Amino acid sequence: MSRHNTTRPDRGEAPDLLARFRDVYPHGKGSVFMARAPGRVNLIGEHTDYNEGFVLPVAVDREVRVLGQRRPDDRVVIYSANFDRRASFELDALGLTTRQSWINYPQGVADALQRAGHHLAGANIVMWGNVPLGAGMSSSAAVEIACLLLFTTLAGLRLSPRDDALLARQAENNFVGVQTGIMDQFIARLGVAGHALLLDCRSLAYALIPLDLPGIALGVVHSGVPRGLAGSKYNERREECAEGVRLLQQVLPHIRALRDVQPAEFALVEERLPEVIRQRCRHIVTEDARVGEAAEALRAGDVARLGDLFARSQASMRDDYAITVSAIDTLVEVALAHGSVASRMTGGGFGGCTVNLVPEERWDAFTRGVMTEYPRVTGRTPTIYRCRAVDGASVEQIA
Ligand code: GLA
């Protein structure tokens, strides 16, 4: 994987956030801290995390930054530099809002921390990010992790990185209301530059695998399809998996989650399941096996094998899990026809992005091909991000 950082016009460079902070809060006093957390792209292992299985994500060089300073009261005021909007909440009166929904993520984090017994301080905050919103690159997990690091730092707390990830996930599950797994918050917090992270979502044990494929670029392409109904469809898939576990336990009493079912074993019992539940379970069981194979292929630098595994994952998400949409299927086909050697949808689905491995010498042809062919067939405009694997979240005092 090439390590150089290509600066592209679509990189969304950060404005001078400290200057913005001083403008927005001219009377604030005391130290200013900045927390940052990256977006992510998942190489393979889709919807396996909440089935206690395996995932292989990478933290990428698009990020959320939050600057904050303590206030003397219990109020949290947040200015979004992206939306040029200000919103606030009281730490002792948190409540989901539909009016400025972006503030639900910081509220959810404050809620999770307080429920865990931590005492937080009021704060003045400026938030900014260049992780594309609703694209399947986990902008929400980046917001959650960055806010969590800022809140804990301002309160003089220091939790373990694993606890940070678990609490940020609670914000999403219990406050925002999407029953996501642990993948996004975990990689946003614990990612390491130049590496993919193979995570066991049951034990939270992980291994770092160098993302070192010479001459290969990591390309993420946004389909331009917004993920409107993603939340409810996501929760529906989760329930279908739980139903699958309940039914399978009648013949496989030892299983606790789909993670415990091996593909060969599944093939012997799948006929007992109603068709839709069978398809959903088949995706999870086979996808888990593909994650293990992909980790091996990545360690061996075997790009052709990765391409094959991506193709099987894509077919499984399309035919069994039914989370791709036709524009995404087209985007994968177009990418493969124009130089990508491995392409699949990444993230929660129902729109969003594809992840691609593209030989350097074909990068220009790839971008040209995708930018012309995909809109011609679908009428949608793609956005291409060339990504590097970066470190997970951090926090520092900046003033
Ligand atoms: C979203 C969720 C993750 C994971 C993926 C699908 O990104 O937040 O927990 O389930 O979808 O793999």
Side-chain angles (χ1 to χ4, degrees):
M1 190 75 42
S2 114
R3 295 267 164 81
H4 66 274
N5 183 4
T6 42
T7 303
R8 306 207 150 244
D10 73 354
R11 279 210 32 80
E13 293 305 328
D16 182 344
L17 291 173
L18 186 57
R20 192 68 66 86
F21 188 90
R22 300 284 189 216
D23 285 350
V24 178
Y25 306 110
H27 306 299
K29 287 193 176 54
S31 311
V32 180
F33 293 86
M34 178 170 76
R36 46 212 289 177
R40 65 100 185 91
V41 60
N42 187 23
L43 295 181
I44 196 162
E46 230 57 86
H47 289 252
T48 43
D49 60 355
Y50 56 80
N51 287 293
E52 301 187 19
F54 298 87
V55 292
L56 189 60
V58 175
V60 297
D61 52 338
R62 315 282 301 189
E63 66 178 11
V64 168
R65 298 184 191 175
V66 285
L67 282 68
Q69 183 177 48
R70 278 182 78 123
R71 286 172 61 102
D73 55 14
D74 277 347
R75 176 168 281 265
V76 174
V77 182
I78 308 187
Y79 168 78
S80 161
N82 294 87
F83 303 142
D84 188 23
R85 298 282 291 276
R86 197 196 293 232
S88 65
F89 55 86
E90 297 288 338
L91 285 167
D92 59 0
L94 303 170
L96 206 60
T97 163
T98 47
R99 232 164 26 95
Q100 299 221 57
S101 54
W102 57 274
I103 204 177
N104 288 329
Y105 297 99
Q107 281 205 94
V109 169
D111 181 61
L113 282 163
Q114 293 188 143
R115 281 175 195 273
H118 300 299
H119 185 77
L120 301 185
N124 287 330
I125 293 175
V126 165
M127 185 186 295
W128 170 88
N130 66 0
V131 187
L133 297 180
M137 288 174 77
S138 288
S139 54
S140 53
V143 168
E144 287 154 6
I145 288 287
C147 287
L148 189 133
L149 282 189
L150 185 71
F151 287 155
T152 50
T153 302
L154 292 176
L157 297 164
R158 204 183 170 82
L159 312 177
S160 75
R162 273 193 178 81
D163 283 344
D164 287 340
L166 287 165
L167 283 166
R169 177 198 178 184
Q170 276 179 30
E172 184 91 34
N173 291 177
N174 301 341
F175 198 86
V176 180
V178 186
Q179 300 306 316
T180 58
I182 189 64
M183 169 169 71
D184 304 343
Q185 291 80 9
F186 201 92
I187 185 69
R189 181 68 183 92
L190 287 108
V192 171
H195 292 76
L197 190 152
L198 173 63
L199 176 64
D200 177 338
C201 299
R202 171 174 283 167
S203 67
L204 298 188
Y206 66 93
L208 293 166
I209 304 181
L211 189 55
D212 189 11
L213 300 170
I216 298 286
L218 179 62
V220 176
V221 185
H222 186 14
S223 62
V225 181
R227 303 176 54 228
L229 279 175
S232 58
K233 287 282 183 198
Y234 187 96
N235 290 347
E236 182 184 297
R237 288 295 173 280
R238 217 187 145 121
E239 280 158 26
E240 288 165 344
C241 289
E243 174 67 4
V245 172
R246 273 194 293 279
L247 293 170
L248 285 170
Q249 277 169 339
Q250 294 168 7
V251 278
L252 303 171
H254 63 282
I255 68 165
R256 196 175 94 193
L258 290 176
R259 134 59 171 291
D260 300 313
V261 186
Q262 300 310 312
E265 192 175 30
F266 183 72
L268 296 176
V269 297
E270 64 173 298
E271 294 222 327
R272 294 172 159 265
L273 300 174
E275 188 174 352
V276 170
I277 301 292
R278 185 192 320 156
Q279 290 175 316
R280 306 299 187 248
C281 293
R282 191 194 297 134
H283 166 72
I284 300 298
V285 169
T286 58
E287 182 80 350
D288 253 337
R290 283 187 289 270
V291 177
E293 285 186 57
E296 267 175 35
L298 186 58
R299 284 197 177 100
D302 189 341
V303 177
R305 189 165 172 216
L306 286 168
D308 177 52
L309 289 161
F310 276 31
R312 287 195 273 138
S313 172
Q314 170 67 17
S316 179
M317 291 189 292
R318 182 190 62 216
D319 303 335
D320 281 341
Y321 219 58
I323 53 172
T324 68
V325 292
S326 75
I328 287 269
D329 299 337
T330 301
L331 184 54
V332 167
E333 284 159 25
V334 168
L336 291 171
H338 290 89
S340 173
V341 291
S343 187
R344 58 179 285 281
M345 188 197 79
T346 183
F350 308 103
C353 290
T354 64
V355 53
N356 296 271
L357 301 178
V358 185
E360 296 280 358
E361 72 276 9
R362 297 198 213 157
W363 179 263
D364 290 342
F366 166 74
T367 55
R368 265 199 313 277
V370 169
M371 293 309 291
T372 48
E373 192 60 11
Y374 176 72
R376 199 184 59 73
V377 181
T378 64
R380 296 188 183 269
T381 308
T383 311
I384 302 181
Y385 305 99
R386 185 175 162 147
C387 294
R388 278 185 314 127
V390 301
D391 283 328
S394 60
V395 60
E396 62 181 328
Q397 185 175 342
I398 58 166

